[in-house]
Amino acid sequence: GAGVSQTPSNKVTEKGKYVELRCDPISGHTALYWYRQSLGQGPEFLIYFQGTGAADDSGLPNDRFFAVRPEGSVSTLKIQRTERGDSAVYLCASSLSRATDTQYFGPGTRLTVL
Amino acid sequence: QQPVQSPQAVILREGEDAVINCSSSKALYSVHWYRQKHGEAPVFLMILLKGGEQKGHEKISASFNEKKQQSSLYLTASQLSYSGTYFCGTEQTGANNLFFGTGTRLTVIP
């Protein structure tokens, strides 16, 4: 079946702009995760959804970052007033029901803030 | 909370073996191992749950010592396709997410 998909694959924006990054998880996966990966680093946890609710958003760096998953499937990560330090690859992963299950990663969105 | 991986990088000739270590200061419920090639998404290798089990996947296996909060990934008779960055992701007891290490860059040369 189809894997995790993310759009866009690349996003270039200017400092101060608003961006939305989309993640389409594997069908039937109730758990969805957003990570941020900077060059030479491992994925950094941002937020975890179980169904429609954000079960753990402790990794969001500040209130400029927000994510939704209104119907328990597709999720959107929203970043307001982007800063150059937000530049990174944003990875989405989904798993069947919880963290102990295998997390399948999408290809990521490379965000560049000029 | 981020686990520590060692070594940071290793270069092997085809057919040689390698061990990658992952250590946490927190009590762990599970350890996940991934391999990521440049510009691609991390690809799942295996999960180890607490209980000290050792798992194998072809010539790649891993162990998990929950008392020491450590896991090791063993690559035997390495192939060129093993090149990439290996990450361990640790799930702490009671948590819902993974914390990933900084990775170990493995390069296999002919």
Side-chain angles (χ1 to χ4, degrees):
Chain A
V4 178
S5 62
Q6 293 186 245
T7 54
S9 55
N10 279 283
K11 176 71 177 178
V12 180
T13 190
E14 294 179 344
K15 181 174 177 293
K17 298 289 188 182
Y18 168 83
V19 295
E20 288 189 354
L21 312 179
R22 176 189 167 108
C23 171
D24 203 336
I26 293 172
S27 178
H29 281 194
T30 62
L32 184 146
Y33 308 83
W34 283 99
Y35 295 88
R36 177 169 68 177
Q37 187 173 29
S38 300
L39 194 63
Q41 299 295 314
E44 174 194 2
F45 169 74
L46 296 177
I47 187 170
Y48 155 63
F49 284 91
Q50 183 58 250
T52 59
D56 184 347
D57 63 358
S58 61
L60 295 178
N62 51 60
D63 61 7
R64 294 187 298 106
F65 289 75
F66 189 71
V68 295
R69 194 186 185 199
E71 297 178 357
S73 179
V74 171
S75 176
T76 305
L77 179 66
K78 308 180 181 191
I79 310 174
Q80 299 177 321
R81 304 183 304 279
T82 51
E83 300 178 357
R84 292 194 180 87
D86 298 335
S87 296
V89 174
Y90 288 80
L91 294 166
C92 174
S94 70
S95 70
L96 196 57
S97 64
R98 56 161 296 171
T100 306
D101 300 320
T102 302
Q103 292 190 25
Y104 296 92
F105 282 84
T109 294
R110 181 175 297 276
L111 176 67
T112 303
V113 182
L114 301 176
Chain B
Q1 302 186 68
Q2 183 181 38
V4 176
Q5 286 186 235
S6 64
Q8 291 184 334
V10 59
I11 299 175
L12 300 174
R13 291 200 177 275
E14 261 187 301
E16 291 183 337
D17 302 340
V19 180
I20 300 172
N21 300 302
C22 174
S23 179
S24 174
S25 61
K26 304 285 186 181
L28 301 179
Y29 184 78
S30 68
V31 179
H32 304 222
W33 285 96
Y34 286 81
R35 176 172 59 212
Q36 186 177 32
K37 294 185 180 285
H38 183 70
E40 299 180 9
V43 173
F44 169 77
L45 294 176
M46 64 188 75
I47 291 176
L48 299 105
L49 302 179
K50 69 176 182 179
E53 63 180 285
Q54 185 156 352
K55 278 197 167 184
H57 175 71
E58 295 182 346
K59 295 178 181 176
I60 300 175
S61 62
S63 63
F64 175 30
N65 186 327
E66 68 192 77
K67 291 183 181 178
K68 292 186 177 180
Q69 294 141 208
Q70 294 175 346
S71 178
S72 294
L73 186 72
Y74 308 94
L75 299 104
T76 58
S78 58
Q79 305 168 17
L80 295 177
S81 62
Y82 286 4
S83 293
T85 301
Y86 289 78
F87 293 101
C88 67
T90 55
E91 180 190 9
Q92 296 170 16
T93 302
N96 299 305
N97 56 282
L98 298 180
F99 290 97
F100 284 90
T102 52
T104 296
R105 177 172 288 188
L106 179 76
T107 304
V108 181
I109 58 176

